[in-house]
Amino acid sequence: MDKLPVLAIISPCYNEEEVLPSTTQRLVALLDDMVQRGQVAQESRIVYVDDGSRDRTWELIEQYTQGGKVVGVKLAGNSGHQNALMAGMQSVVDWADAQITIDADLQDDIAVIPAMVRDYAQEGCDIVYGVRRERKTDTWFKRTTAQGFYKFMHHLGVKTVYNHADFRLMSRRATRQLLNYRERNLFLRGIVPLIGYKTAMEYYDRAERTAGESKYPLSKMLNFAIDGITSFSIRPVRLVLGLGGVFMLIALVMLVYVLVSYFSGRAVSGWASMILSIWFVGGCVLVGLGIVGEYIGKIYIEVKDRPRYNIEKIIKK
Ligand code: UDP
Ligand code: MG
């Protein structure tokens, strides 16, 4: 590669006024350093996507754009982490040769960014995954639920990179390809491995959030997990079908039992077991309906084909 690659470091920000000052300082220092060492082009930028923050996040971003190193993208409303990432990628794909996405709290170690760029520029990798070596800084709860989730996804046949979140480098052509996935129910971790191309992994230790609090409360995490499963696998619906089959077999056995009891003249005194089965079967039916409904809801959202986000303005000096 004779010309230096133009790099964009994309960071989604939702109410991040507390972390932005230190994040900006660290990212700008890193970028300057990489430019200095001749690893990336002068035109490389940090791109903040304001995901409809209600605090001073956008004012801060506007201020940083004055320095010339930061590009600000303002979404008209809160579209969620995954959509904010897509908006950021969409807005850089025309001028950046490669882009890296990283959460604004810099829990992911920015020290591996030069190694990621090296994998891209020298090894010709189109996708470089940042992978957490261990999860010591996460709470026990977050660690177990997250790892359980990835194992479950694996069982359902969804290919994800273990312990990889949304910290990754993608070349322009990989980004273009990703932007072709038009689905509303975005689960980037599941889509990116589908793209193919040459990939690499860089390992790091995940740090504590430096300031502010997690923008992913349990409810958002659960929604994200359900989306991740139902956007990639129809196995849960098959499971319901299988369960229905098993129940019918059981019912058949019950029928034989009932007939035998009847003709042998034994009194039926099974109220308890009866009422129990009614509740149990009713519950199973509802769960089945719920799972199917989840998919129908997905289809409903997809067919409307609404825009994923609405970019209000972009500030690029
Ligand atoms: N985020 C976003 N929109 C949202 C929620 C979160 O853009 O609706 C951003 C947030 O600003 C951060 C990243 O997504 O840059 C990850 O959020 P956070 O660090 O709170 O998640 P956690 O690390 O706790 O999973
Ligand atoms: Mg975080």
Side-chain angles (χ1 to χ4, degrees):
M1 204 172 283
D2 13 293
K3 256 186 77 214
L4 289 177
V6 176
L7 178 70
I9 301 178
I10 302 170
S11 194
C13 310
Y14 178 57
N15 296 340
E16 296 286 9
E17 60 177 7
E18 281 152 297
V19 296
L20 269 184
S22 74
T23 296
T24 308
Q25 200 190 353
R26 290 177 58 196
L27 285 179
V28 169
L30 176 86
L31 204 57
D32 280 346
D33 188 52
M34 287 169 72
V35 170
Q36 211 110 81
R37 285 188 290 107
Q39 201 185 11
V40 296
Q42 192 94 49
E43 296 79 36
S44 300
R45 294 287 180 271
I46 292 149
V47 180
Y48 286 135
V49 183
D50 175 22
D51 187 19
S53 301
R54 277 176 299 236
D55 62 359
R56 291 186 53 252
T57 300
W58 178 247
E59 274 106 278
L60 286 176
I61 294 173
E62 256 183 324
Q63 206 177 304
Y64 298 140
T65 58
Q66 302 300 320
K69 286 280 160 207
V70 172
V71 173
V73 177
K74 187 181 189 331
L75 300 189
N78 182 247
S79 309
H81 182 202
Q82 305 285 297
N83 287 315
L85 288 172
M86 285 302 246
M89 293 181 208
Q90 176 82 64
S91 67
V92 306
V93 75
D94 289 327
W95 55 264
D97 296 312
Q99 49 89 5
I100 291 176
T101 49
I102 186 166
D103 289 349
D105 54 7
L106 298 193
Q107 280 185 287
D108 306 303
D109 191 2
I110 63 170
V112 303
I113 288 181
M116 285 176 152
V117 175
R118 211 170 304 127
D119 290 335
Y120 157 74
Q122 271 146 48
E123 312 291 330
C125 294
D126 281 281
I127 302 169
V128 185
Y129 297 102
V131 180
R132 279 170 226 169
R133 210 172 276 127
E134 28 80 27
R135 283 170 165 266
K136 256 193 260 155
T137 56
D138 280 342
T139 59
W140 175 86
F141 181 74
K142 181 138 191 172
R143 193 168 57 228
T144 7
T145 50
Q147 283 176 346
F149 171 67
Y150 286 112
K151 287 209 181 101
F152 183 58
M153 290 286 279
H154 185 78
H155 278 301
L156 292 179
V158 187
K159 274 206 297 179
T160 51
V161 177
Y162 196 61
N163 269 345
H164 157 74
D166 286 308
F167 180 33
R168 74 179 84 81
L169 175 144
M170 290 175 80
S171 69
R172 177 182 279 139
R173 66 171 185 165
T175 309
R176 282 243 159 83
Q177 195 52 40
L178 178 64
L179 291 170
N180 277 338
Y181 286 73
R182 305 297 315 158
E183 59 217 77
R184 294 326 75 186
N185 296 287
L186 260 190
F187 189 70
L188 290 174
R189 276 159 234 193
I191 303 178
V192 175
L194 298 179
I195 296 177
Y197 294 141
K198 189 174 171 189
T199 62
M201 300 196 194
E202 289 297 338
Y203 296 87
Y204 64 94
D205 296 322
R206 189 163 154 98
E208 211 91 58
R209 204 177 221 285
T210 43
E213 37 189 66
S214 174
K215 295 341 179 240
Y216 264 105
L218 187 62
S219 58
K220 257 194 193 176
M221 237 165 77
L222 268 179
N223 279 334
F224 189 51
I226 292 177
D227 274 351
I229 293 166
T230 52
S231 304
F232 278 91
S233 171
I234 58 161
R235 268 189 216 177
V237 176
R238 297 252 168 84
L239 204 78
V240 171
L241 196 70
L243 214 66
V246 171
F247 272 61
M248 274 158 80
L249 278 181
I250 294 177
L252 217 66
V253 173
M254 285 301 274
L255 185 73
V256 172
Y257 170 73
V258 166
L259 285 179
V260 169
S261 316
Y262 181 78
F263 285 115
S264 63
R266 257 183 290 155
V268 180
S269 62
W271 181 82
S273 56
M274 183 98 107
I275 207 81
L276 209 76
S277 358
I278 289 175
W279 280 99
F280 183 63
V281 174
C284 290
V285 169
L286 283 181
V287 167
L289 269 180
I291 295 179
V292 174
E294 181 69 29
Y295 284 94
I296 294 178
K298 284 260 138 76
I299 297 170
Y300 171 68
I301 304 262
E302 297 293 342
V303 293
K304 279 193 293 191
D305 201 29
R306 289 187 177 162
R308 283 187 280 222
Y309 45 80
N310 178 8
I311 296 181
E312 193 174 314
K313 58 178 153 188
I314 297 181
I315 306 183
K316 185 167 189 282
K317 300 260 167 205

